[in-house]
Amino acid sequence: MNVRETKQVPIALMDAHKSDVRTQFAALCFRMVKEKPEILLITSRRSGRWIIPKGWPIDGETPAQVALTEAWEEAGVRGKVHERCLGLYSYHKMLGPERGVPCVAMVYAVRVKSLVASFPEASQRKRKWLRPKKAAALVSEPELAHIILNFHPRLLKH
């Protein structure tokens, strides 16, 4: 996938109203291997697509803290979250076999210190470390692929 080929995908409102768009907070989990980043992808529970951990707002937590919580629950990540949003992407979240809502996910970087084998959704997901180019090729959302392709930890220091 070439970055120039990436186009923003329209949000699919269908029968929903603009006020029905939901926000989630996502974790772009990474580690450094030989001074190059690797991205952790997980599978979704229903379809098995490759995604990044994300979830709904949690009362009393910042968006970045929610992203870190989701990284733990969905991928068994222990790490440090960076408070600056890397970007956002839109997608359609299925809430049942015939019901879904348009969503926007705000993405936060999480530097992984360790992965644990036993975590809340361990039996429901697979996880895989990939170089950014391969990770971007596996995700379905073009905007997320763009964020992954353009991510480098040195950007977090600013």
Side-chain angles (χ1 to χ4, degrees), residues 9-22:
V9 179
I11 295 174
L13 290 173
M14 293 186 266
D15 293 330
H17 300 285
K18 289 181 183 180
S19 61
D20 292 336
V21 176
R22 303 290 189 251

Side-chain angles (χ1 to χ4, degrees), residues 80-157:
K80 179 183 185 293
V81 68
H82 295 266
E83 293 288 330
R84 189 172 136 237
C85 181
L86 296 174
L88 53 90
Y89 67 98
S90 59
Y91 69 101
H92 196 74
K93 170 94 173 160
M94 294 308 295
L95 299 176
E98 296 180 18
R99 184 169 168 256
V101 294
C103 287
V104 174
M106 297 175 64
V107 181
Y108 294 85
V110 173
R111 185 174 195 121
V112 177
K113 292 180 182 172
S114 65
L115 286 180
V116 300
S118 180
F119 56 96
E121 297 181 15
S123 65
Q124 302 167 48
R125 300 182 188 274
K126 294 177 186 170
R127 52 190 182 182
K128 182 186 285 195
W129 285 108
L130 299 155
R131 294 281 187 211
K133 189 174 181 180
K134 288 187 178 184
L138 283 181
V139 298
S140 300
E141 300 83 3
E143 297 154 320
L144 176 56
H146 182 77
I147 291 168
I148 292 170
L149 279 173
N150 289 292
F151 173 76
H152 197 283
R154 70 177 169 264
L155 300 173
L156 302 174
K157 296 177 182 174

Side-chain angles (χ1 to χ4, degrees), residues 53-78:
K54 63 186 169 301
W56 303 109
I58 298 171
D59 191 34
E61 289 190 13
T62 67
Q65 289 169 332
V66 171
L68 186 60
T69 297
E70 295 302 324
W72 159 248
E73 291 177 359
E74 297 182 3
V77 166
R78 292 291 188 209

